[in-house]
Amino acid sequence: MAANRRNGMHPSERGLVGVVSAAMALPRMSLPTVATVVAAVAALYFGREVFLPIAIALLLTFALAPLVSALKRVGIPRLPAVIASVLGAFTVLALFSFIVATQVSELAQNIPLYQSNILTKVRSLKETGVGGGVIARLSEAIERVGQELDRQETSPPAADQPRREPVPVEIIARERPLQVLQNLIGPLIRPLASAGLIVVVVIFMLLEREDLRDRFIRLVGYGDLHRTTEALQEAGKRVGRYLLMQLVVNIVYAIPVTAGLWVLGIPNALLWGLLALALRFVPYIGPIIGALLPLFLALAVAPGWSLVLWTAGLFVAMEMITGNIVEPWLYGSRTGLSPLAIIVAAIFWTWLWGPLGLVLSTPLTVCLVVLGRHVPQFEFLDVLFGNEPVLEPHARLYQRLLAGDPEEATDHAEEMLEEKYLFEFYDKVAIAALLLGEQDRVRGVMGDEQRRRVAASAQMLVANLDDSAREEAEEDDDPATAEPAPADKDKQAQAEGEDDTELPDGTEMSVLCAGGRGELDDAAAAMLAQVLEVQGATVSKASFADMDPTGIRRLELDAVDTVVVGFLNRDSVKHARFLVRRLKRARSALRVGIVFWSKDGDDKKTEVEWTNDINADFVAFGMVEAVLGALSSDPPVALKVAAKRRMRRRPRPARNAPLAAAK
């Protein structure tokens, strides 16, 4: 039935760490770290004239480094390879800028020709009454505001002062030829100087890349060469791959957009395609800005509305194809950033460095996340901006149970059940979450109300997973969907470190699952009961309150083969021993098993030692062991009779002993 299940997590799952330490996955920022961050932000803000060209040069170095390495592998020396790569990249950028400037100049000359179409559409909106007079009211409001701004309140002139007529004054500007030339060239000097500085810095960074890497390692990470080297390699690969893949995606996006706009008859289609290519480097708002300009031009070119709709449909279709097919196929979410982190980073870098900061926001934040992933002092950066889960699955589930939200907990469980069996989820995630709750209860940080809320949420989670359990049982019953267990799969499971223990068939077996000492134990028992039902066993449940001497007498144990009692607290050995005695006295032919729920490898004594100590038929520590013991056909263990303590008494002397001694 379920003979092909293996006790192990999916290979992509991370191992289960310590129960308490995993819950505290969010590191604390120390005071020096906060001071360092504040000082760094202030330095970047006030020194942006210096740091911005260096940041651009650094990112271009990451992007061009693979090209330089490829040219070196072909046989080209380092210096020619670096110069060729840099000149080629900046030639492409200069050609791009020249084409955009030419197209913008041509568009500016044709704008007056489109005014009539815009006025026609505005009149049509007014005639059809679209907006309920909103346009008219907005026009009146703007006109009133303009009148208030133009109104000048002047005091009336005094009666005794004669009114003077204003004298017209004409200012004649006499500029020297050198000053005129300076006014023309001055605005161009700054961007050209910055571009030249960036070119020089990129060339030297590519030439001295290994030396700069060694100096950086000696400066910040000489004590841990492995971690620093790994951080540098990951940052370079991730940023370079992101920039290259983003360029490929943008080109794949821009070519169909340019062709589609040309077919639709939008003027300057090449301009809009190039702008769409460049603006897609800006996260989220870039594609929107790139689509608004062609839409406005389509509104101005044609008198009707069909061209606007066709243009909007073109951009929507290309965005859907690019976002759902091209991007996941090429790089997916390899940037390592969460969507919220991308938005926050865009806002931060725009405030820091303006529009260029917006373009550079994603690759710069990628570098910070890599730094936080490998440097403990900056681990908060990876936690805040990374896309990796900051909580272990069991800690995340416990947080939802603690908040009384079984619905979201069910959603997470169903996502995991797409790759895991039900017993795996309960064994590695759900039981570990209940162990967190038990430890909080022992430490005294969980009150009675919280404990009952966690237990009730866990019971609701089990109830919500009934459909998943039923589907899993039906799949096991269907021989067509049963997964074979060839020898190569067993070898693969052993190579991957998984336990290939087969869960037995529970048909015609009757099991009673009960909690040991509290509501959380009852929730764990309900999980075990659901797994046994999937195996085909007839299962009944009992509460921890039913395990007292009076409650055990009321239990119907005649049709039950095995009773399994679970404890989340390992210090319940004496209580477990008493329960085993009471249950076996109630019915001598009953098999009784004890489960001390724990993480793997936590038990120091062997199962035989635990069994002999408690006098149970079996002692388990996980879900698989509990199922194997509950569905076993071994005969029950006889109840050991406790040895009666005999009081030591002094021997009484015989009655005639003194007389006999006298004789």
Side-chain angles (χ1 to χ4, degrees), residues 388-418:
E388 295 293 333
V390 296
L391 291 178
E392 294 290 334
H394 65 282
R396 189 180 183 186
L397 177 62
Y398 174 60
Q399 192 273 334
R400 288 294 86 202
L401 297 179
L402 192 61
D405 188 3
E407 287 75 17
E408 185 175 350
T410 304
D411 294 338
H412 296 326
E414 290 177 347
E415 292 177 1
M416 299 184 68
L417 288 177
E418 295 178 358

PDB file of all heavy atoms in Angstrom, residues 388-418:
ATOM      1  N   GLU A 388      15.824  34.239   0.572  1.00  0.00           N
ATOM      2  CA  GLU A 388      15.830  32.959   1.272  1.00  0.00           C
ATOM      3  C   GLU A 388      14.968  33.049   2.524  1.00  0.00           C
ATOM      4  O   GLU A 388      14.915  34.093   3.173  1.00  0.00           O
ATOM      5  CB  GLU A 388      17.264  32.582   1.655  1.00  0.00           C
ATOM      6  CG  GLU A 388      18.178  32.337   0.470  1.00  0.00           C
ATOM      7  CD  GLU A 388      17.792  31.115  -0.316  1.00  0.00           C
ATOM      8  OE1 GLU A 388      17.182  30.199   0.290  1.00  0.00           O
ATOM      9  OE2 GLU A 388      18.069  31.060  -1.520  1.00  0.00           O
ATOM     10  N   PRO A 389      14.285  31.961   2.877  1.00  0.00           N
ATOM     11  CA  PRO A 389      13.480  31.986   4.112  1.00  0.00           C
ATOM     12  C   PRO A 389      14.356  32.222   5.329  1.00  0.00           C
ATOM     13  O   PRO A 389      15.404  31.592   5.490  1.00  0.00           O
ATOM     14  CB  PRO A 389      12.840  30.585   4.143  1.00  0.00           C
ATOM     15  CG  PRO A 389      12.921  30.081   2.741  1.00  0.00           C
ATOM     16  CD  PRO A 389      14.152  30.685   2.143  1.00  0.00           C
ATOM     17  N   VAL A 390      13.934  33.144   6.177  1.00  0.00           N
ATOM     18  CA  VAL A 390      14.713  33.461   7.374  1.00  0.00           C
ATOM     19  C   VAL A 390      14.325  32.573   8.547  1.00  0.00           C
ATOM     20  O   VAL A 390      15.024  32.552   9.555  1.00  0.00           O
ATOM     21  CB  VAL A 390      14.537  34.946   7.758  1.00  0.00           C
ATOM     22  CG1 VAL A 390      15.085  35.835   6.670  1.00  0.00           C
ATOM     23  CG2 VAL A 390      13.075  35.279   8.021  1.00  0.00           C
ATOM     24  N   LEU A 391      13.245  31.854   8.442  1.00  0.00           N
ATOM     25  CA  LEU A 391      12.824  30.919   9.484  1.00  0.00           C
ATOM     26  C   LEU A 391      12.801  29.517   8.908  1.00  0.00           C
ATOM     27  O   LEU A 391      12.422  29.309   7.748  1.00  0.00           O
ATOM     28  CB  LEU A 391      11.428  31.280  10.016  1.00  0.00           C
ATOM     29  CG  LEU A 391      11.289  32.568  10.827  1.00  0.00           C
ATOM     30  CD1 LEU A 391       9.839  32.769  11.221  1.00  0.00           C
ATOM     31  CD2 LEU A 391      12.169  32.539  12.069  1.00  0.00           C
ATOM     32  N   GLU A 392      13.208  28.565   9.717  1.00  0.00           N
ATOM     33  CA  GLU A 392      13.071  27.172   9.325  1.00  0.00           C
ATOM     34  C   GLU A 392      11.590  26.829   9.175  1.00  0.00           C
ATOM     35  O   GLU A 392      10.731  27.480   9.772  1.00  0.00           O
ATOM     36  CB  GLU A 392      13.720  26.272  10.378  1.00  0.00           C
ATOM     37  CG  GLU A 392      15.226  26.429  10.494  1.00  0.00           C
ATOM     38  CD  GLU A 392      15.950  25.888   9.281  1.00  0.00           C
ATOM     39  OE1 GLU A 392      15.395  24.996   8.610  1.00  0.00           O
ATOM     40  OE2 GLU A 392      17.064  26.357   9.000  1.00  0.00           O
ATOM     41  N   PRO A 393      11.269  25.819   8.361  1.00  0.00           N
ATOM     42  CA  PRO A 393       9.847  25.496   8.143  1.00  0.00           C
ATOM     43  C   PRO A 393       9.094  25.223   9.442  1.00  0.00           C
ATOM     44  O   PRO A 393       7.955  25.660   9.598  1.00  0.00           O
ATOM     45  CB  PRO A 393       9.915  24.258   7.245  1.00  0.00           C
ATOM     46  CG  PRO A 393      11.208  24.380   6.520  1.00  0.00           C
ATOM     47  CD  PRO A 393      12.156  25.024   7.493  1.00  0.00           C
ATOM     48  N   HIS A 394       9.725  24.501  10.390  1.00  0.00           N
ATOM     49  CA  HIS A 394       9.003  24.190  11.619  1.00  0.00           C
ATOM     50  C   HIS A 394       8.836  25.437  12.490  1.00  0.00           C
ATOM     51  O   HIS A 394       7.807  25.598  13.150  1.00  0.00           O
ATOM     52  CB  HIS A 394       9.731  23.087  12.388  1.00  0.00           C
ATOM     53  CG  HIS A 394      11.076  23.484  12.885  1.00  0.00           C
ATOM     54  ND1 HIS A 394      12.190  23.541  12.082  1.00  0.00           N
ATOM     55  CD2 HIS A 394      11.503  23.865  14.112  1.00  0.00           C
ATOM     56  CE1 HIS A 394      13.230  23.921  12.785  1.00  0.00           C
ATOM     57  NE2 HIS A 394      12.845  24.136  14.031  1.00  0.00           N
ATOM     58  N   ALA A 395       9.838  26.332  12.483  1.00  0.00           N
ATOM     59  CA  ALA A 395       9.695  27.572  13.247  1.00  0.00           C
ATOM     60  C   ALA A 395       8.624  28.472  12.632  1.00  0.00           C
ATOM     61  O   ALA A 395       7.870  29.142  13.351  1.00  0.00           O
ATOM     62  CB  ALA A 395      11.038  28.309  13.303  1.00  0.00           C
ATOM     63  N   ARG A 396       8.556  28.476  11.318  1.00  0.00           N
ATOM     64  CA  ARG A 396       7.518  29.269  10.644  1.00  0.00           C
ATOM     65  C   ARG A 396       6.132  28.726  10.961  1.00  0.00           C
ATOM     66  O   ARG A 396       5.191  29.480  11.210  1.00  0.00           O
ATOM     67  CB  ARG A 396       7.784  29.236   9.144  1.00  0.00           C
ATOM     68  CG  ARG A 396       6.925  30.173   8.320  1.00  0.00           C
ATOM     69  CD  ARG A 396       7.295  30.049   6.856  1.00  0.00           C
ATOM     70  NE  ARG A 396       6.544  30.973   6.030  1.00  0.00           N
ATOM     71  CZ  ARG A 396       6.596  30.995   4.700  1.00  0.00           C
ATOM     72  NH1 ARG A 396       7.381  30.135   4.071  1.00  0.00           N
ATOM     73  NH2 ARG A 396       5.885  31.858   4.011  1.00  0.00           N
ATOM     74  N   LEU A 397       6.004  27.399  10.966  1.00  0.00           N
ATOM     75  CA  LEU A 397       4.713  26.796  11.300  1.00  0.00           C
ATOM     76  C   LEU A 397       4.340  27.091  12.745  1.00  0.00           C
ATOM     77  O   LEU A 397       3.168  27.408  13.046  1.00  0.00           O
ATOM     78  CB  LEU A 397       4.781  25.288  11.062  1.00  0.00           C
ATOM     79  CG  LEU A 397       3.531  24.492  11.433  1.00  0.00           C
ATOM     80  CD1 LEU A 397       2.342  24.929  10.592  1.00  0.00           C
ATOM     81  CD2 LEU A 397       3.770  23.002  11.271  1.00  0.00           C
ATOM     82  N   TYR A 398       5.303  27.005  13.658  1.00  0.00           N
ATOM     83  CA  TYR A 398       5.012  27.297  15.063  1.00  0.00           C
ATOM     84  C   TYR A 398       4.578  28.749  15.247  1.00  0.00           C
ATOM     85  O   TYR A 398       3.697  29.041  16.062  1.00  0.00           O
ATOM     86  CB  TYR A 398       6.241  26.994  15.910  1.00  0.00           C
ATOM     87  CG  TYR A 398       6.095  27.401  17.352  1.00  0.00           C
ATOM     88  CD1 TYR A 398       5.092  26.854  18.152  1.00  0.00           C
ATOM     89  CD2 TYR A 398       6.946  28.343  17.921  1.00  0.00           C
ATOM     90  CE1 TYR A 398       4.950  27.232  19.473  1.00  0.00           C
ATOM     91  CE2 TYR A 398       6.805  28.730  19.242  1.00  0.00           C
ATOM     92  CZ  TYR A 398       5.805  28.163  20.013  1.00  0.00           C
ATOM     93  OH  TYR A 398       5.655  28.549  21.326  1.00  0.00           O
ATOM     94  N   GLN A 399       5.173  29.654  14.495  1.00  0.00           N
ATOM     95  CA  GLN A 399       4.778  31.067  14.592  1.00  0.00           C
ATOM     96  C   GLN A 399       3.328  31.251  14.175  1.00  0.00           C
ATOM     97  O   GLN A 399       2.582  32.012  14.789  1.00  0.00           O
ATOM     98  CB  GLN A 399       5.715  31.912  13.732  1.00  0.00           C
ATOM     99  CG  GLN A 399       5.612  33.407  13.966  1.00  0.00           C
ATOM    100  CD  GLN A 399       4.537  34.056  13.129  1.00  0.00           C
ATOM    101  OE1 GLN A 399       4.175  33.557  12.057  1.00  0.00           O
ATOM    102  NE2 GLN A 399       4.006  35.164  13.607  1.00  0.00           N
ATOM    103  N   ARG A 400       2.903  30.537  13.145  1.00  0.00           N
ATOM    104  CA  ARG A 400       1.502  30.636  12.706  1.00  0.00           C
ATOM    105  C   ARG A 400       0.563  29.986  13.713  1.00  0.00           C
ATOM    106  O   ARG A 400      -0.537  30.479  13.964  1.00  0.00           O
ATOM    107  CB  ARG A 400       1.333  29.972  11.339  1.00  0.00           C
ATOM    108  CG  ARG A 400       1.942  30.739  10.192  1.00  0.00           C
ATOM    109  CD  ARG A 400       1.233  32.059   9.950  1.00  0.00           C
ATOM    110  NE  ARG A 400       1.750  33.139  10.770  1.00  0.00           N
ATOM    111  CZ  ARG A 400       1.082  34.240  11.068  1.00  0.00           C
ATOM    112  NH1 ARG A 400      -0.158  34.387  10.648  1.00  0.00           N
ATOM    113  NH2 ARG A 400       1.605  35.174  11.816  1.00  0.00           N
ATOM    114  N   LEU A 401       0.973  28.877  14.294  1.00  0.00           N
ATOM    115  CA  LEU A 401       0.144  28.246  15.323  1.00  0.00           C
ATOM    116  C   LEU A 401       0.060  29.130  16.562  1.00  0.00           C
ATOM    117  O   LEU A 401      -1.002  29.234  17.190  1.00  0.00           O
ATOM    118  CB  LEU A 401       0.716  26.879  15.693  1.00  0.00           C
ATOM    119  CG  LEU A 401       0.767  25.823  14.589  1.00  0.00           C
ATOM    120  CD1 LEU A 401       1.392  24.541  15.108  1.00  0.00           C
ATOM    121  CD2 LEU A 401      -0.618  25.555  14.007  1.00  0.00           C
ATOM    122  N   LEU A 402       1.163  29.748  16.916  1.00  0.00           N
ATOM    123  CA  LEU A 402       1.173  30.631  18.073  1.00  0.00           C
ATOM    124  C   LEU A 402       0.289  31.851  17.843  1.00  0.00           C
ATOM    125  O   LEU A 402      -0.321  32.376  18.783  1.00  0.00           O
ATOM    126  CB  LEU A 402       2.603  31.068  18.383  1.00  0.00           C
ATOM    127  CG  LEU A 402       2.868  31.770  19.715  1.00  0.00           C
ATOM    128  CD1 LEU A 402       2.513  30.850  20.873  1.00  0.00           C
ATOM    129  CD2 LEU A 402       4.315  32.201  19.808  1.00  0.00           C
ATOM    130  N   ALA A 403       0.198  32.306  16.597  1.00  0.00           N
ATOM    131  CA  ALA A 403      -0.663  33.440  16.264  1.00  0.00           C
ATOM    132  C   ALA A 403      -2.121  33.035  16.085  1.00  0.00           C
ATOM    133  O   ALA A 403      -2.968  33.900  15.847  1.00  0.00           O
ATOM    134  CB  ALA A 403      -0.162  34.125  14.995  1.00  0.00           C
ATOM    135  N   GLY A 404      -2.425  31.738  16.178  1.00  0.00           N
ATOM    136  CA  GLY A 404      -3.799  31.282  16.008  1.00  0.00           C
ATOM    137  C   GLY A 404      -4.284  31.403  14.581  1.00  0.00           C
ATOM    138  O   GLY A 404      -5.438  31.768  14.343  1.00  0.00           O
ATOM    139  N   ASP A 405      -3.416  31.086  13.611  1.00  0.00           N
ATOM    140  CA  ASP A 405      -3.757  31.218  12.193  1.00  0.00           C
ATOM    141  C   ASP A 405      -3.560  29.868  11.505  1.00  0.00           C
ATOM    142  O   ASP A 405      -2.579  29.659  10.792  1.00  0.00           O
ATOM    143  CB  ASP A 405      -2.887  32.295  11.549  1.00  0.00           C
ATOM    144  CG  ASP A 405      -3.330  32.626  10.128  1.00  0.00           C
ATOM    145  OD1 ASP A 405      -4.332  32.057   9.674  1.00  0.00           O
ATOM    146  OD2 ASP A 405      -2.661  33.460   9.486  1.00  0.00           O
ATOM    147  N   PRO A 406      -4.460  28.908  11.711  1.00  0.00           N
ATOM    148  CA  PRO A 406      -4.284  27.597  11.074  1.00  0.00           C
ATOM    149  C   PRO A 406      -4.479  27.622   9.565  1.00  0.00           C
ATOM    150  O   PRO A 406      -4.008  26.736   8.868  1.00  0.00           O
ATOM    151  CB  PRO A 406      -5.347  26.734  11.763  1.00  0.00           C
ATOM    152  CG  PRO A 406      -6.393  27.706  12.218  1.00  0.00           C
ATOM    153  CD  PRO A 406      -5.657  28.965  12.565  1.00  0.00           C
ATOM    154  N   GLU A 407      -5.178  28.651   9.037  1.00  0.00           N
ATOM    155  CA  GLU A 407      -5.397  28.713   7.596  1.00  0.00           C
ATOM    156  C   GLU A 407      -4.084  28.921   6.854  1.00  0.00           C
ATOM    157  O   GLU A 407      -3.785  28.219   5.884  1.00  0.00           O
ATOM    158  CB  GLU A 407      -6.385  29.834   7.247  1.00  0.00           C
ATOM    159  CG  GLU A 407      -7.828  29.537   7.604  1.00  0.00           C
ATOM    160  CD  GLU A 407      -8.100  29.638   9.094  1.00  0.00           C
ATOM    161  OE1 GLU A 407      -7.258  30.253   9.800  1.00  0.00           O
ATOM    162  OE2 GLU A 407      -9.126  29.115   9.557  1.00  0.00           O
ATOM    163  N   GLU A 408      -3.297  29.912   7.285  1.00  0.00           N
ATOM    164  CA  GLU A 408      -2.004  30.127   6.629  1.00  0.00           C
ATOM    165  C   GLU A 408      -1.077  28.944   6.865  1.00  0.00           C
ATOM    166  O   GLU A 408      -0.299  28.567   5.982  1.00  0.00           O
ATOM    167  CB  GLU A 408      -1.361  31.414   7.144  1.00  0.00           C
ATOM    168  CG  GLU A 408      -0.065  31.772   6.425  1.00  0.00           C
ATOM    169  CD  GLU A 408       0.505  33.110   6.866  1.00  0.00           C
ATOM    170  OE1 GLU A 408      -0.209  33.849   7.586  1.00  0.00           O
ATOM    171  OE2 GLU A 408       1.657  33.400   6.500  1.00  0.00           O
ATOM    172  N   ALA A 409      -1.137  28.356   8.059  1.00  0.00           N
ATOM    173  CA  ALA A 409      -0.338  27.162   8.323  1.00  0.00           C
ATOM    174  C   ALA A 409      -0.727  26.035   7.371  1.00  0.00           C
ATOM    175  O   ALA A 409       0.131  25.288   6.887  1.00  0.00           O
ATOM    176  CB  ALA A 409      -0.516  26.719   9.776  1.00  0.00           C
ATOM    177  N   THR A 410      -2.020  25.914   7.070  1.00  0.00           N
ATOM    178  CA  THR A 410      -2.472  24.895   6.126  1.00  0.00           C
ATOM    179  C   THR A 410      -1.952  25.176   4.728  1.00  0.00           C
ATOM    180  O   THR A 410      -1.568  24.254   3.993  1.00  0.00           O
ATOM    181  CB  THR A 410      -4.003  24.829   6.121  1.00  0.00           C
ATOM    182  OG1 THR A 410      -4.472  24.578   7.451  1.00  0.00           O
ATOM    183  CG2 THR A 410      -4.500  23.736   5.194  1.00  0.00           C
ATOM    184  N   ASP A 411      -1.926  26.443   4.338  1.00  0.00           N
ATOM    185  CA  ASP A 411      -1.397  26.793   3.011  1.00  0.00           C
ATOM    186  C   ASP A 411       0.064  26.381   2.892  1.00  0.00           C
ATOM    187  O   ASP A 411       0.479  25.796   1.870  1.00  0.00           O
ATOM    188  CB  ASP A 411      -1.553  28.297   2.768  1.00  0.00           C
ATOM    189  CG  ASP A 411      -3.010  28.718   2.675  1.00  0.00           C
ATOM    190  OD1 ASP A 411      -3.849  27.846   2.378  1.00  0.00           O
ATOM    191  OD2 ASP A 411      -3.308  29.905   2.912  1.00  0.00           O
ATOM    192  N   HIS A 412       0.870  26.681   3.914  1.00  0.00           N
ATOM    193  CA  HIS A 412       2.273  26.280   3.886  1.00  0.00           C
ATOM    194  C   HIS A 412       2.402  24.760   3.858  1.00  0.00           C
ATOM    195  O   HIS A 412       3.264  24.213   3.145  1.00  0.00           O
ATOM    196  CB  HIS A 412       3.011  26.842   5.104  1.00  0.00           C
ATOM    197  CG  HIS A 412       3.071  28.340   5.129  1.00  0.00           C
ATOM    198  ND1 HIS A 412       3.164  29.087   3.981  1.00  0.00           N
ATOM    199  CD2 HIS A 412       3.058  29.232   6.151  1.00  0.00           C
ATOM    200  CE1 HIS A 412       3.207  30.375   4.287  1.00  0.00           C
ATOM    201  NE2 HIS A 412       3.132  30.493   5.601  1.00  0.00           N
ATOM    202  N   ALA A 413       1.565  24.077   4.621  1.00  0.00           N
ATOM    203  CA  ALA A 413       1.635  22.615   4.650  1.00  0.00           C
ATOM    204  C   ALA A 413       1.287  22.019   3.292  1.00  0.00           C
ATOM    205  O   ALA A 413       1.946  21.086   2.815  1.00  0.00           O
ATOM    206  CB  ALA A 413       0.696  22.081   5.726  1.00  0.00           C
ATOM    207  N   GLU A 414       0.263  22.548   2.645  1.00  0.00           N
ATOM    208  CA  GLU A 414      -0.121  22.024   1.334  1.00  0.00           C
ATOM    209  C   GLU A 414       0.958  22.275   0.287  1.00  0.00           C
ATOM    210  O   GLU A 414       1.150  21.463  -0.618  1.00  0.00           O
ATOM    211  CB  GLU A 414      -1.446  22.650   0.905  1.00  0.00           C
ATOM    212  CG  GLU A 414      -2.638  22.170   1.738  1.00  0.00           C
ATOM    213  CD  GLU A 414      -3.926  22.856   1.350  1.00  0.00           C
ATOM    214  OE1 GLU A 414      -3.851  23.875   0.608  1.00  0.00           O
ATOM    215  OE2 GLU A 414      -5.002  22.407   1.780  1.00  0.00           O
ATOM    216  N   GLU A 415       1.665  23.398   0.394  1.00  0.00           N
ATOM    217  CA  GLU A 415       2.784  23.642  -0.517  1.00  0.00           C
ATOM    218  C   GLU A 415       3.884  22.600  -0.316  1.00  0.00           C
ATOM    219  O   GLU A 415       4.459  22.096  -1.288  1.00  0.00           O
ATOM    220  CB  GLU A 415       3.346  25.047  -0.303  1.00  0.00           C
ATOM    221  CG  GLU A 415       2.396  26.168  -0.732  1.00  0.00           C
ATOM    222  CD  GLU A 415       2.971  27.532  -0.432  1.00  0.00           C
ATOM    223  OE1 GLU A 415       4.115  27.590   0.091  1.00  0.00           O
ATOM    224  OE2 GLU A 415       2.298  28.543  -0.710  1.00  0.00           O
ATOM    225  N   MET A 416       4.159  22.260   0.933  1.00  0.00           N
ATOM    226  CA  MET A 416       5.200  21.276   1.206  1.00  0.00           C
ATOM    227  C   MET A 416       4.750  19.871   0.824  1.00  0.00           C
ATOM    228  O   MET A 416       5.574  19.039   0.428  1.00  0.00           O
ATOM    229  CB  MET A 416       5.597  21.326   2.679  1.00  0.00           C
ATOM    230  CG  MET A 416       6.155  22.669   3.130  1.00  0.00           C
ATOM    231  SD  MET A 416       6.718  22.655   4.842  1.00  0.00           S
ATOM    232  CE  MET A 416       8.128  21.580   4.706  1.00  0.00           C
ATOM    233  N   LEU A 417       3.455  19.596   0.936  1.00  0.00           N
ATOM    234  CA  LEU A 417       2.956  18.265   0.601  1.00  0.00           C
ATOM    235  C   LEU A 417       2.990  17.993  -0.899  1.00  0.00           C
ATOM    236  O   LEU A 417       2.784  16.846  -1.312  1.00  0.00           O
ATOM    237  CB  LEU A 417       1.524  18.094   1.118  1.00  0.00           C
ATOM    238  CG  LEU A 417       1.389  17.955   2.637  1.00  0.00           C
ATOM    239  CD1 LEU A 417      -0.066  17.875   3.044  1.00  0.00           C
ATOM    240  CD2 LEU A 417       2.145  16.729   3.136  1.00  0.00           C
ATOM    241  N   GLU A 418       3.237  19.029  -1.705  1.00  0.00           N
ATOM    242  CA  GLU A 418       3.415  18.793  -3.129  1.00  0.00           C
ATOM    243  C   GLU A 418       4.704  18.035  -3.413  1.00  0.00           C
ATOM    244  O   GLU A 418       4.823  17.386  -4.459  1.00  0.00           O
ATOM    245  CB  GLU A 418       3.406  20.122  -3.883  1.00  0.00           C
ATOM    246  CG  GLU A 418       2.066  20.849  -3.826  1.00  0.00           C
ATOM    247  CD  GLU A 418       2.113  22.179  -4.543  1.00  0.00           C
ATOM    248  OE1 GLU A 418       3.212  22.529  -5.046  1.00  0.00           O
ATOM    249  OE2 GLU A 418       1.075  22.864  -4.614  1.00  0.00           O
TER     250      GLU A 418
END
